[in-house]
Amino acid sequence: MVSITAQPAPIDLDLDHTALVIIDMQRDFLLPGGFGETLGNDVGQLQKVVPPLMELLAAARAAGMVIVHTREGHLPDLSDCPPAKLHRGAPSKRIGDPGAFGRILIRGEYGHDIIDELAPIEGEHVVDKPGKGAFYATDFGKILSDNGITQLLVTGVTTEVCVHTTTREANDRGYECVVVSDCVGSYFPEFQRVGLDMIAAQGGIFGWTAASTDIIAALAASERPGIVAAS
Ligand code: C5J
């Protein structure tokens, strides 16, 4: 058990029952020229997440934690993409269209996959999800229960969309969620700030927030082998 400095209050994590969840760190969302940018977004806002998340991932791997990566995307025939999602708004490119990195948000395409810096390694779980939340139409919940997971460190993008949806879904299912404030990102700085505030407000209405350095320091102080504190 390690105690983490967090908002609205410290939280004890049982590392044997805690998973690191990395949401949608995909090329389509993060790379210049990709889908995120074609929607008019500043992908630099998301790239800030990569260095601290690489450090946290290394610490979690060294601690032997369960690690789950998610990817938002769809089958090539789009049969799992509701028309309400496919036809939303008036973007220059839609899901399934050819983009800079293959068909946008289509499973198996280069852009759909996770950025090189955070590529999953053997033994880590990869959950493909058609929705914003990680539980809908996936085996995410089964992976967590099969591994005895009760607490989640939630990271990835975007803070106010897939991170929030997954955290809210997990909270309703009884998981304690710590959203790692510098390891989640939004294209919109105001959504990042308010999105994090919303989680910890009202006594932690659906979770906690904590900095990666505090988590890594706590892991380093634990009995777990192989952990070094972040510089
Ligand atoms: C979005 C996500 N923003 N991963 N997806 O469409 O948050």
Side-chain angles (χ1 to χ4, degrees):
M1 196 76 87
V2 296
S3 180
I4 307 286
T5 303
Q7 289 71 47
I11 175 170
D12 291 336
L13 291 183
D14 181 346
L15 298 181
D16 288 330
H17 300 283
T18 302
L20 174 66
V21 181
I22 303 179
I23 296 179
D24 300 358
M25 292 297 284
Q26 294 161 255
R27 298 184 181 113
D28 275 337
F29 292 125
L30 278 114
L31 293 193
F35 181 48
E37 198 170 75
T38 69
L39 294 173
N41 296 309
D42 170 12
V43 293
Q45 294 294 335
L46 302 196
Q47 286 168 1
K48 290 192 277 196
V49 169
V50 176
L53 186 45
M54 287 173 70
E55 298 231 21
L56 183 61
L57 176 58
R61 283 174 175 162
M65 288 173 61
V66 170
I67 296 169
V68 185
H69 305 255
T70 72
R71 299 183 294 203
E72 180 179 349
H74 298 279
L75 298 168
D77 66 1
L78 295 173
S79 57
D80 60 349
C81 185
K85 179 177 183 183
L86 187 59
H87 300 304
R88 186 85 42 87
S92 60
K93 289 195 179 282
R94 294 188 186 278
I95 293 168
D97 285 350
F101 307 118
R103 289 182 69 205
I104 289 168
L105 289 185
I106 297 298
R107 295 181 192 167
E109 300 285 343
Y110 182 77
H112 171 264
D113 211 352
I114 293 165
I115 58 171
D116 294 342
E117 296 91 325
L118 299 167
I121 61 174
E122 198 180 334
E124 296 175 0
H125 304 272
V126 179
V127 171
D128 282 320
K129 61 185 181 65
K132 305 305 184 193
F135 289 89
Y136 171 68
T138 73
D139 56 0
F140 183 57
K142 182 172 184 329
I143 291 169
L144 298 182
S145 59
D146 284 354
N147 285 280
I149 299 299
T150 58
Q151 296 178 303
L152 307 180
L153 295 176
V154 187
T155 67
V157 299
T158 62
T159 306
E160 75 280 11
V161 185
C162 292
V163 169
H164 252 228
T165 306
T166 298
T167 303
R168 290 167 189 247
E169 288 182 330
N171 177 69
D172 282 352
R173 286 166 172 78
Y175 295 95
E176 292 185 314
C177 299
V178 180
V179 176
V180 187
S181 50
D182 53 331
C183 292
V184 294
S186 171
Y187 296 117
F188 306 97
E190 68 273 32
F191 291 175
Q192 172 75 359
R193 181 179 58 76
V194 174
L196 288 169
D197 285 352
M198 288 169 71
I199 294 162
Q202 303 180 70
I205 190 76
F206 56 92
W208 288 254
T209 61
S212 63
T213 45
D214 287 331
I215 296 168
I216 295 169
L219 292 177
S222 76
E223 302 288 297
R224 294 273 173 148
I227 308 268
V228 283
S231 49

